[in-house]
Amino acid sequence: MKQNIYSKNIILVLAASFFYMASPMLVTPLITGFSKSIGASAGVMGFIGGLMNLCSLFCRPIAGNLADKISKYKLSFIGAALMALACIGYIFAPNEAALVAARIINGLGFACCSVCLSTWMSNMLPKEKIGSGMGFYGTMNALAMALAPAIGVSVYQTFGYRTAFCIAFVFALAILIVIQFVGDRGEPVKEESMPSRTIKSPVRLVDIKVLPIAFIIMLFAIPYCATQSFLVTYVETRGLSVAVSMFFPAYAVVLIVLRLTLRNLFDKLPFRVFLLTSCICELLAILLLTVMCNNIVMLLASAFLAGGYGVMSSVCQSTAMLLAGKEKRGLANSTYYIGLDLGMTLGPMIGGALYGGLDIRWFYPALMATMPIAGVVYLAAGKGLRKKHKDDILNN
C-alpha cells in the first residue's frame, strides 16, 4: 500500500523520533555536572559524558541487523524501555558507578531507537519521497536538539538535576505510548530473489556500499562536534565579546528552515550537488569562526554550519538507504550512524589535541582539512556510488 509523508503512521513515528532525541539531549548538558555533584573526579566526569555515544557506536551494528530481522515496533519498544530505565537510574543514582551503568543502558536504548525509528520511517515512505521524508525526520531531531537542552537547563536551575531527569523519563515514556498507535508494525522485508526457506543471512557489521557515506558524514561531524565541545573555551581564550549561548539555538532555527525549504530538492538533486554546496558552507562557517569578532559574524557562522553538517546529515542518511535494498535498510542506517558516532567521538578528541598543541588562532583553520578529504572520499568511492545514486533517482 502506497504511503505518503502525511499518513497517520508516519506522523506518529515522527513524534516518536522527537521524543527519542529529546530524552538524551535533555540529559547531555547536565550529566557531567551531576556526576561531579555525586563525587566523580574530573576524568570520570568526561568518561561519563561520552559513554553513551561510545556505547551506541558498538551497539549500532547489532541494532542494524536486528532492525532487518524483527519488527521495528518491537525493537523501538525495547529501545524506549531501556532509555526510560536509564532515566530512572539517573534519578536515583547514589554514586558514579550507578551513573556509569545508567549511561551504558542509555547507549543501548539510544542505538536501538536511532536505527529502528529511521528505518521504520523510511520503509513507510514511497521511494520517490525518501529524501523529503527523511528531511522531515531530521527536522524533528533538530527541533528536539534545540528544545530539550533548554528545557533541561531551565528545570535544573529551578528544581535541580533529578527533577530535570524526570522530564527526560517522561520523554522516553512518550515513545512507548506513541508507538502503540502505529498501525504498520514494521515487520521485516524478505528478499524476493530467494525462497524464504533457504534464506539464512549472515550477521554483518556494516553495509560496504554505505561506508563512503559513513566516512563523509564523519568528516562533516568532526568540525561540528569540535565546535560543540570547544566553542565556549575558544571564545574565552581569545577574549571575544560574543553571546556564545546564541550559537546553537540559531543553528537549530536555520537548520529547520533549510530542511523544510529544501525538502523536495532532496529527492531531485544528485548527491554531488549537496556535497559540493555543503562543503562550501562548512568551510565558510569555519572561516567565519576563525575571524569571529562580534555576534553577527558568529550567527552567520552558525547559519553556514547548518548548511554544511546540518543538511548533509539528512542527505547522507537518505542516500545510505537508497544505496541499500529495502530489506537491508536497518544495516544501512547503522552503518551511517557508525560514521556519525565516530565524528561525534573524534570531534572533541581532535579539538582537544588542537587546543592543546596549536596556537588558538589555528584551531579552526586546521579543521578545514576535513572538507577536501570528504571530496576525496567521494571520488575514491568510484563510479559505483555515483551510478547507483543516479539510477535510484531515475527509477523514481
Side-chain angles (χ1 to χ4, degrees), residues 63 67 80 91 135 164 183 192 244 246 348:
I91 295 167
E192 297 178 358
V244 70
M246 296 169 57

Side-chain angles (χ1 to χ4, degrees), residues 361-380:
R361 291 172 296 181
W362 288 99
F363 181 87
Y364 278 108
L367 291 171
M368 286 185 177
T370 54
M371 293 300 96
I373 297 173
V376 170
V377 170
Y378 177 74
L379 294 174

Side-chain angles (χ1 to χ4, degrees), residues 55-375:
C55 184
S56 292
L57 174 63
F58 289 102
C59 293
R60 286 197 202 275
I62 299 171
N65 277 279
L66 287 174
D68 292 325
K69 299 180 188 305
I70 67 174
S71 79
K72 312 302 180 290
Y73 165 79
K74 289 180 182 177
L75 191 57
S76 296
F77 187 92
I78 292 169
L82 288 170
M83 291 175 71
L85 181 61
C87 291
I88 293 173
Y90 299 146
I91 295 167
F92 296 104
N95 52 49
E96 60 266 36
L99 201 53
V100 166
R103 292 297 278 170
I104 292 172
I105 294 170
N106 205 342
L108 289 168
F110 186 71
C112 290
C113 283
S114 61
V115 172
C116 189
L117 286 170
S118 54
T119 305
W120 200 357
M121 170 85 175
S122 70
N123 283 352
M124 288 191 289
L125 290 166
K127 193 173 183 180
E128 68 275 8
K129 293 292 184 180
I130 285 181
S132 55
M134 295 313 294
F136 278 116
Y137 181 88
T139 300
M140 297 304 290
N141 284 181
L143 190 61
M145 292 173 70
L147 294 178
I151 293 171
V153 171
S154 177
V155 172
Y156 151 68
Q157 290 175 339
T158 306
F159 301 104
Y161 286 113
R162 297 182 193 270
T163 304
F165 297 150
C166 288
I167 307 299
F169 171 75
V170 170
F171 286 148
L173 195 62
I175 307 169
L176 293 169
I177 295 170
V178 167
I179 62 175
Q180 303 304 316
F181 299 97
V182 181
D184 182 346
R185 295 300 194 181
E187 296 296 334
V189 178
K190 293 183 179 179
E191 297 185 52
E192 297 178 358
S193 58
M194 301 180 187
S196 60
R197 66 178 181 273
T198 64
I199 296 174
K200 192 161 186 177
S201 301
V203 175
R204 297 176 182 174
L205 296 179
V206 296
D207 188 324
I208 299 298
K209 297 188 295 295
V210 180
L211 279 178
I213 301 298
F215 278 116
I216 288 170
I217 193 59
M218 178 192 77
L219 291 163
F220 272 88
I222 286 172
Y224 173 82
C225 295
T227 298
Q228 195 176 44
S229 298
F230 284 92
L231 183 60
V232 173
T233 305
Y234 175 82
V235 167
E236 290 175 351
T237 302
R238 293 196 59 191
L240 302 175
S241 180
V242 296
V244 70
S245 62
M246 296 169 57
F247 185 88
F248 287 104
Y251 165 89
V253 170
V254 174
L255 179 56
I256 290 169
V257 171
L258 284 173
R259 281 178 170 166
L260 292 176
T261 304
L262 300 174
R263 63 186 184 276
N264 292 324
L265 295 179
F266 288 147
D267 297 306
K268 297 177 181 178
L269 296 179
F271 180 80
R272 65 178 180 274
V273 173
F274 286 105
L275 177 63
L276 178 60
T277 305
S278 293
C279 276
I280 293 171
C281 284
E282 190 132 341
L283 284 171
L284 285 172
I286 295 171
L287 179 62
L288 287 168
L289 287 167
T290 303
V291 301
M292 179 170 57
C293 57
N294 55 47
N295 286 329
I296 294 175
V297 177
M298 183 195 70
L299 292 175
L300 283 173
S302 71
F304 280 114
L305 193 59
Y309 167 74
V311 169
M312 278 306 291
S313 61
S314 287
V315 172
C316 284
Q317 187 170 27
S318 60
T319 301
M321 287 180 290
L322 285 171
L323 289 170
K326 190 172 184 179
E327 71 283 352
K328 293 183 180 178
R329 283 183 182 166
L331 184 60
N333 256 320
S334 69
T335 305
Y336 161 82
Y337 277 114
I338 286 170
L340 190 61
D341 279 335
L342 282 171
M344 294 174 71
T345 302
L346 290 174
M349 292 175 63
I350 292 172
L354 293 174
Y355 180 76
L358 293 178
D359 186 288
I360 191 64
R361 291 172 296 181
W362 288 99
F363 181 87
Y364 278 108
L367 291 171
M368 286 185 177
T370 54
M371 293 300 96
I373 297 173

